[in-house]
Amino acid sequence: IYWDVVNAACAAAGGGEAGREASGQVMTDFGPYLEAYVQRLVDRAMPSSPVLARRFYAGLRVEGKTGKNKSEIDLLIPYGDAFVAVEIKSARFHYINSIIKGDLDYIEEEDLKQALYDPAAQLEKAIEHLQANAYSLDGITYTDEPIYPVLVTYGGLPTIGPVWDYLLGQLRERNIL
């Protein structure tokens, strides 16, 4: 149903740039619902208990004096001797034509920015704040444990070898994560 609503918004706006903006607004409005959904899934898989330590943290924020020092982790899971830092995005890739054509240049830069580069950079900033112990974690402090960054997207990330290699290369070129 989600994609039906997104496509209907695009069509109702007449397609083109106006349609892209309208469908983008639906995706933006959907973001908090997707975050809440994923957080509930994690809560059901790892339920908190009054007698056990907190299993995960949702919506951690550090407010800086400027926007550059602000960060957020949608989910942080202390997992034994490691942390899992999760960023949740409702953006999707338009990479199917790229796979069909075998043309990695077809992947739209704006899609990559919204669905990969910006979330990865946000996650990187949040990890830096975690390493600096800037979040309030009920007495848990970071002491050089591994941190595993996870990006959750609504439409999924491509795992086909050449596409995945291309995306990882793009992150490396931008020095992200």
Side-chain angles (χ1 to χ4, degrees), residues 76-85 127 130-131 142-149:
L76 180 67
I77 305 168
Y79 199 78
D81 60 353
F83 288 92
V84 178
I127 288 170
L130 173 63
Q131 291 169 328
Y142 175 79
T143 56
D144 208 29
E145 297 88 351
I147 300 171
Y148 298 99

Side-chain angles (χ1 to χ4, degrees), residues 4 11 24 32 34 36 40 66 69 71 80 84 87 100 108 115 127 130 144 150 152 160 174:
D4 290 340
L34 179 63
R40 287 192 66 191
T66 67
N69 292 328
S71 73
V84 178
E87 173 63 23
I100 292 169
E108 295 182 34
I127 288 170
L130 173 63
D144 208 29
V150 175
V152 175
I160 297 169
R174 288 164 175 75

Side-chain angles (χ1 to χ4, degrees), residues 3-84:
W3 293 117
D4 290 340
V5 173
V6 169
N7 292 334
C10 180
E17 186 59 34
R20 188 172 172 92
E21 285 181 28
S23 61
Q25 187 61 50
V26 170
M27 289 183 208
T28 299
D29 294 342
F30 178 71
Y33 297 107
L34 179 63
E35 283 184 29
Y37 175 73
V38 172
Q39 290 168 352
R40 287 192 66 191
L41 285 176
V42 171
D43 187 41
R44 288 187 179 196
M46 304 172 64
S48 296
S49 156
V51 295
L52 297 175
R54 192 166 176 185
R55 303 294 302 269
F56 70 92
Y57 299 84
L60 294 171
R61 287 175 178 73
V62 169
E63 298 295 333
K65 292 180 182 176
T66 67
K68 294 179 182 176
N69 292 328
K70 185 172 91 170
S71 73
E72 177 178 347
I73 297 179
D74 292 333
L75 276 172
L76 180 67
I77 305 168
Y79 199 78
D81 60 353
F83 288 92
V84 178

